[in-house]
């Protein structure tokens, strides 16, 4: 038996679609704890995870966390892409003890990266920071 959450489309925009395989779900709640947007909940009667596609941002944390491969997320990821910095050639690093990352090329890159971080649905860097 397979549970599939209702696939809602808001304003014509494609949304991620979450499928919970009831025959694989053991009710461990790992996906629920890990979901940064609260898109997953527990059906207390059947002890199976339930998905709310309207709240899902497609980060796929639930898919990576589930020890039983009971969740599949399809569709777009609504998490902003990372702004990449320019890489340095290894030969220029020999004997240099300075900063390796050159940083951003302009204020626009800084603002884009800051906006991406501030709206991150899964801020593991914040939780992991000493």
């Amino acid at each position: 038996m397979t549970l599939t959450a209702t696939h809602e489309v808001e304003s014509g925009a494609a949304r991620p679609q979450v499928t919970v395989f009831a025959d694989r779900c053991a009710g461990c709640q790992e996906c629920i704890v890990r979901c940064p947007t609260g898109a997953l909940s527990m059906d207390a009667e059947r002890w199976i995870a339930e998905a709310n596609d309207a709240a899902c941002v497609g980060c796929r944390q639930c898919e990576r966390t589930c020890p039983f491969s009971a969740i599949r997320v399809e569709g777009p990821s609504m998490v902003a892409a990372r702004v990449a910095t320019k890489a340095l050639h290894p030969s220029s690093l020999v004997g240099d003890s300075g900063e390796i990352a050159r940083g951003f090329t302009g204020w626009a890159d800084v603002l884009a990266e800051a906006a991406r971080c501030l709206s991150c649905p899964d801020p593991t860097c914040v939780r992991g920071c000493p």
Side-chain angles (χ1 to χ4, degrees):
M1 178 165 113
T2 303
L3 282 179
T4 305
T6 306
H7 301 166
E8 297 179 10
V9 177
E10 297 175 5
S11 305
R15 302 249 345 146
Q17 300 171 355
V18 183
T19 304
V20 178
F21 300 104
D23 57 337
R24 294 183 190 170
C25 182
C28 70
Q29 302 183 45
E30 288 292 326
C31 58
I32 295 167
V33 170
R34 191 69 175 132
C35 180
T37 62
L40 295 167
S41 61
M42 183 60 67
D43 178 352
E45 269 185 37
R46 297 175 21 200
W47 207 248
I48 293 173
E50 292 180 325
N52 175 4
D53 285 349
C56 181
V57 294
C59 69
R60 290 163 173 77
Q61 286 291 348
C62 56
E63 208 175 57
R64 289 189 289 273
T65 302
C66 181
F68 305 103
S69 301
I71 298 179
R72 180 182 309 139
V73 180
E74 296 175 338
S77 174
M78 299 171 74
V79 178
R82 183 177 180 157
V83 176
T85 56
K86 294 180 181 177
L88 295 174
H89 192 275
S91 64
S92 66
L93 298 175
V94 175
D96 185 7
S97 61
E99 182 67 39
I100 292 176
R102 287 191 181 168
F104 300 102
T105 58
W107 192 243
D109 290 345
V110 172
L111 292 176
E113 186 65 8
R116 185 185 73 84
C117 287
L118 290 173
S119 63
C120 181
D122 184 33
T124 53
C125 58
V126 173
R127 287 190 298 271
C129 183

